[in-house]
Structure formats: C-alpha cells, structure tokens
Amino acid sequence: MASLNRKRWFQIHGWLALPVWVVFCFVCVSGTIAVVSHEITWLANPAARAANPDDLPRKPLTELVAAVREAAPDAQVTNVFTLESYLVTSVGLQLADGRPARAYVNPYTAEVQAISGGPTFIGFMRSLHGWLLFPWQANYSVGYYLVSALSIVTLGALITGVVIYRRFWRAYTRPQLRLRAGTRVLMGDLHRLAGAWSLWFLLVIGVTGLWYLTQALLWHNDVDVWEHPDPVPLASVPLSSDGSAPTPITLQAALERAHATIPSLEPSFVTLPEFSRGYFSIAGAGESWLFDRYAYRVFVDPWNGEIAQLREPSTMNALQVLTHVADPLHYGTLGGIWTKAVWFVFGLLLSAMSVTGFVIWSKRTVRETRARPARTAAHALEEFRT
C-alpha cells in the first residue's frame, strides 16, 4: 500500500510540471538571468558603467539633473533612478517630440555618458520574466497571470517531491551521484540532489510567486494596496498676476524636506511633478534591510514644500509589507551582489531540475508504455492456459 501511494505521488509530481514544462523552464532561465541583469549590463554596455578611479563621493542628484538639462536643453526631466555603485544614475527624459529617453550619468563625475531611447536590458529581462512580454490590457496581463500561476506548480512540486523522496535529508550528509549507472539513474540522482538542496529556494520562489498571483488579482479587481494622496488642491496652486507660469520649489528643496522627515532615506527613485497638481515623489531605502529600495516614500507638495503623504515600514499593513519584501526575496537583492550570486546559482539548479525532471518522467513513461503490451500478452497467455 505504501509503495502504491508513493507511486501515485510520483505521478502527481510528474504531471504538475508536464503540461507547462517548456514555459516553466523558460521562466526559470529568464528569472535567473534577470537576477544578474545589472551585472550583465555592466559587462556589455560601457556607457552604463560608473567609473570612479579617484574614489570620489557621489554627487547630489540635483547636480546630475543639472548636467542632463545642460546636455539636453529641449528635454523635460521626469524622474531619477539610482542603481548600484558600479552603475550610472538613470535620468528619465521626455524629448521635444514626445518620445521617452534615458540619460546615463556618472554619479561621481556628473558626466552624461549616453542618452538612449527604447527599453534597457534590465527592464527587458524583468518584463520577459514577469509577464513574457504579453501586452497589458488596462490593469491585467495574461502573461503575468501565467507566470505567477507557476508558483502553484513550484509549491506542488516541492510538497510532492518531499513525499516521494523518503529520507531526503540524507542528501545533505551522504549525497549520492552514480556516474556510471546509466543516464536515467544519473538524471535521477542529479534531480534528487539538486531538489534536496534547493528546498528553501523553492519555498521562497513559490511563496513570493503566490503573492504575485494575489497581486495580479488585486490589480485586476481595482484593489489598490496603497491610498494615493489626493492632487494638490486647486486653490493651493499659485497664480501669477502677469500670466507667467508659477515657479515651484526646487528638486533640492524637495529632497531636503524628505531627508528632514526621514533622516536615513537614501533616494532610489525620484519623480518630478507631471502637472501643477502633482507631487515630488521621493522613494528610497532606509533602515529596514529586508524591504526593497522603495519602501520609504515621501510625497512633497511642489508649491509649499509640505509633506502630503509619508510611507515607511513601521506604518504598513500586511499587504503593503508583502509588496515591499517580495522582490528582494524573489530576486535575491536583499544582500547585494553576494545574495544575488546565491540566487543565480540556485536559479540555475532550478532550471536544470526542470530539464532533468522532464527527462526522468519521459523515460519512465516510455519504459512503462513498452512494458504494458508485454504484460498484457503474458496475462492473456496465463488466462488461456488456465
């Protein structure tokens, strides 16, 4: 009876991945590449490198924005995005003809190294992994649903794998890898060994993926995790007597106001007001290391410098916390390049497991299919003899 139950669990384990095997493998590979997309960008694109041979400190964001405005006087600056210390600061632009572009600025010298339109490699890999480049229709994407639903496959494979791999903890103390016992045996050993060592990783990827699926459902049903600040009251927008456009506070003043509110704030993404009733939005990292680089956010009124809304981990509810801890856990960015290296290795293992699992399942299926006619013939002969 125990062997029968184990066989049934094995069948479930195989069927979990079989219908979406190619998609699952592709998502694993693209996600593994996405983890190190910043490092690949540094290797492949010299204009994205932030050279600092003289060990200079980072320049203020206002100085970087000023350099971009001097290099592209006809463009409008829309946002500022800071990256790792070895990469440029990316300044978003809207060109005179309405096209979006990004300026790559060395954060240590304020040199504008390139102005480029189109998607970046980092953004492309995140989109490819996140929703397979399926188009977004209003507030949902079929691709996003498809990818996030693979979390069910991941968690199902984790549970059934633990059930059918009896005493899996032996893989930690007595790992078995039979190199001369044939392809099927070797594949099985590799699959079980990688699976046992990747249990924690499967759990992290599965749980965070399940949150992404939940998030997709929230978006689709117009449920917003955050309450956004109301637009600046029209009565608060100053009017000039001579018909000229009123002058808002400077970016520097907005940053100083944000730092006065959250002294530990390290700005990661700053957006400038798009219209007269919009806000400076200054998002960044703070003291909570488990949260992403946007968990702290300050909305600053562009006319009087008042704080319209403040977001920080200490005031978040459960859904808001999940929103800001899912990405660091899913992509391994919580500890910098070292944790990303760990996630990359285990991402490769998970990709390899999807291949070896399919090979094992297919070989077992072919073997049983070939054996079935022989068993049927033997059974018929036995009946004939009796």
Side-chain angles (χ1 to χ4, degrees), residues 119-140:
T120 64
F121 178 74
I122 296 170
F124 173 78
M125 288 309 306
R126 284 294 183 100
S127 301
L128 183 63
H129 173 66
W131 53 89
L132 302 175
L133 301 183
F134 276 66
W136 283 82
Q137 303 174 9
N139 51 1
Y140 78 96

Side-chain angles (χ1 to χ4, degrees), residues 142-170:
V142 174
Y144 194 94
Y145 271 121
L146 178 60
V147 173
S148 57
L150 291 176
S151 61
I152 300 173
V153 175
T154 304
L155 293 174
L158 168 63
I159 295 170
T160 55
V162 169
V163 172
I164 64 177
Y165 187 12
R166 293 175 295 185
R167 294 184 289 274
F168 65 88
W169 51 87
R170 290 183 177 179

Side-chain angles (χ1 to χ4, degrees), residues 156-222:
L158 168 63
I159 295 170
T160 55
V162 169
V163 172
I164 64 177
Y165 187 12
R166 293 175 295 185
R167 294 184 289 274
F168 65 88
W169 51 87
R170 290 183 177 179
Y172 308 134
T173 57
R174 290 183 290 174
Q176 184 180 44
L177 195 60
R178 292 166 287 184
L179 301 176
R180 300 179 180 178
T183 302
R184 190 181 67 83
V185 174
L186 177 60
M187 286 288 182
D189 288 346
L190 286 171
H191 189 79
R192 288 187 292 271
L193 192 61
W197 282 90
S198 301
L199 287 179
W200 68 272
F201 186 73
L202 287 166
L203 182 61
V204 169
I205 297 300
V207 170
T208 52
L210 197 60
W211 160 247
Y212 293 140
L213 178 59
T214 304
Q215 188 172 243
L217 293 170
L218 294 175
W219 289 340
H220 200 166
N221 291 278
D222 294 320

